[in-house]
Amino acid sequence: MLTQYPVGRLSDRVDRRTVIASMCLLGTVVAAVIEVFGPLPRALFLLMAALFSGAALTLYSLSVSHVNDKLAPSQMVGASSALLLINGTAAAFGPAITGGLMSAFGARAYFGTLGTLTGALTLYDLWRKARRQPVPQSEKGPFINTRELVTCAGLDPAPMAGVEPLELPLPRAPVKGAGAAPSSP
């Protein structure tokens, strides 16, 4: 989570695809180091795992921001739904696939799998970058830190949709004299 804001702010200033490719490349290099040089001393392993996580956990937020840069506000909800579906599908199948690879090749296959995925995403992002122009700075929206969004029915879409903010009722004060119900033994 410490990397979300600095990386997000950087993506507001430069081409988001460059930032996405950089985070993927960092994750790939870190995963390769863990894979090739493992087993590492515990402190070094934890540092490398934190570095990988810091790079990888920015990717969804960066992707949402990049997609939204290219869409009209009326298209953003549909695109967000598609991104959530893709993310959820990967979250459902990824552990099963990685677990199968770990059963076949051992625990080190965990970072091997993650490094392969981030490496493939790096190559795809660079390929796409070579085929399309960046979004002009004037058309870029701000970075969306998805870690701060509430992903439940209480999500207030008002700031982005241009509607009046949702006013939630305040909780009622407890009734005086009402104590906790006695618990049964």
Side-chain angles (χ1 to χ4, degrees):
M1 189 129 150
L2 295 174
T3 58
Q4 291 279 328
Y5 281 109
V7 171
R9 295 298 166 224
L10 176 64
S11 77
D12 285 341
R13 292 175 178 78
V14 299
D15 185 4
R16 284 195 218 280
R17 298 171 305 170
T18 301
V19 178
I20 292 170
S22 299
M23 290 297 101
C24 287
L25 183 61
L26 176 62
T28 302
V29 169
V30 170
V33 167
I34 293 172
E35 183 69 22
V36 171
F37 296 109
L40 299 170
R42 183 177 176 84
L44 181 58
F45 173 77
L46 292 175
L47 177 69
M48 297 298 278
L51 192 56
F52 178 87
S53 297
L57 291 176
T58 63
L59 295 176
Y60 182 76
S61 298
L62 289 170
S63 299
V64 168
S65 295
H66 176 61
V67 167
N68 285 341
D69 286 342
K70 298 177 177 290
L71 300 175
S74 63
Q75 298 171 309
M76 290 180 184
V77 173
S80 292
S81 297
L83 288 172
L84 280 171
L85 182 62
I86 292 167
N87 190 41
T89 302
F93 290 108
I97 293 168
T98 303
L101 291 169
M102 289 173 66
S103 292
F105 300 105
R108 289 178 56 185
Y110 179 74
F111 278 101
T113 303
L114 295 177
T116 300
L117 293 173
T118 55
L121 188 55
T122 303
L123 294 174
Y124 176 75
D125 187 57
L126 294 173
W127 175 75
R128 291 288 299 163
K129 191 175 173 185
R131 300 184 67 85
R132 295 190 78 173
Q133 293 295 320
V135 174
Q137 191 67 29
S138 62
E139 294 179 21
K140 283 176 81 170
F143 170 72
I144 300 169
N145 184 2
T146 59
R147 295 281 176 213
E148 289 188 359
L149 294 178
V150 179
T151 56
C152 67
L155 177 64
D156 182 9
M160 292 184 163
V163 296
E164 289 296 317
L166 177 65
E167 295 293 329
L168 297 176
L170 296 174
R172 294 188 301 197
V175 178
K176 290 189 177 194
S183 61
S184 57

